[in-house]
Amino acid sequence: AHVAGKPAPICKWMKNEECVIPSSRLVVHKTKNTSVIIIKDVSRKDSGYYSLSAENSCGIATQKIRVVIMDIPGPPQPPFDISEIDIDACSLNWHIPFEDR
């Protein structure tokens, strides 16, 4: 994000209303006019609402974005129902996976 102000604002990244904590997977790069968050090896648990706040003595500006990490669905959930059994086909029904995105 491009960030500018006088005096220069202090930038803060949040995820779901909690400050992001830099780690080996999550890095925040800040320069004079930018602030970038980089997440390596993303997974579904990285989904959520991220926000960037820029604050100085004149006020605060915040921008929020929704991040959805899509992946293959998890395994189907029981019970499994086999019906319409034929010599070469059948119907199989199950409950949706817990992780269905």
Side-chain angles (χ1 to χ4, degrees), residues 2 8 14 19 23 43 47 61 68 70 78 81:
H2 293 282
M14 310 271 287
C19 289
S23 67
S43 67
S47 295
V68 178
M70 311 265 310
D81 179 38

Side-chain angles (χ1 to χ4, degrees), residues 30-50:
K30 296 179 186 178
T31 67
K32 181 179 176 182
N33 294 321
T34 64
S35 184
V36 178
I37 187 169
I38 298 171
I39 305 171
K40 300 175 187 175
D41 303 319
V42 296
S43 67
R44 281 193 180 104
K45 63 184 172 184
D46 294 311
S47 295
Y49 287 91
Y50 288 81

Side-chain angles (χ1 to χ4, degrees), residues 3-91:
V3 182
K6 287 188 181 182
I10 296 171
C11 295
K12 180 169 57 171
W13 283 98
M14 310 271 287
K15 179 189 176 202
N16 299 329
E17 308 302 325
E18 294 184 17
C19 289
V20 297
I21 300 169
S23 67
S24 59
R25 286 188 342 101
L26 188 146
V27 179
V28 175
H29 287 284
K30 296 179 186 178
T31 67
K32 181 179 176 182
N33 294 321
T34 64
S35 184
V36 178
I37 187 169
I38 298 171
I39 305 171
K40 300 175 187 175
D41 303 319
V42 296
S43 67
R44 281 193 180 104
K45 63 184 172 184
D46 294 311
S47 295
Y49 287 91
Y50 288 81
S51 62
L52 173 62
S53 296
E55 184 174 7
N56 66 12
S57 59
C58 296
I60 185 168
T62 302
Q63 184 64 52
K64 184 184 279 190
I65 60 168
R66 179 176 178 222
V67 175
V68 178
I69 308 299
M70 311 265 310
D71 199 354
I72 60 172
Q77 296 301 305
F80 302 104
D81 179 38
I82 302 171
S83 61
E84 301 178 29
I85 300 171
D86 198 357
I87 194 164
D88 63 348
C90 69
S91 292

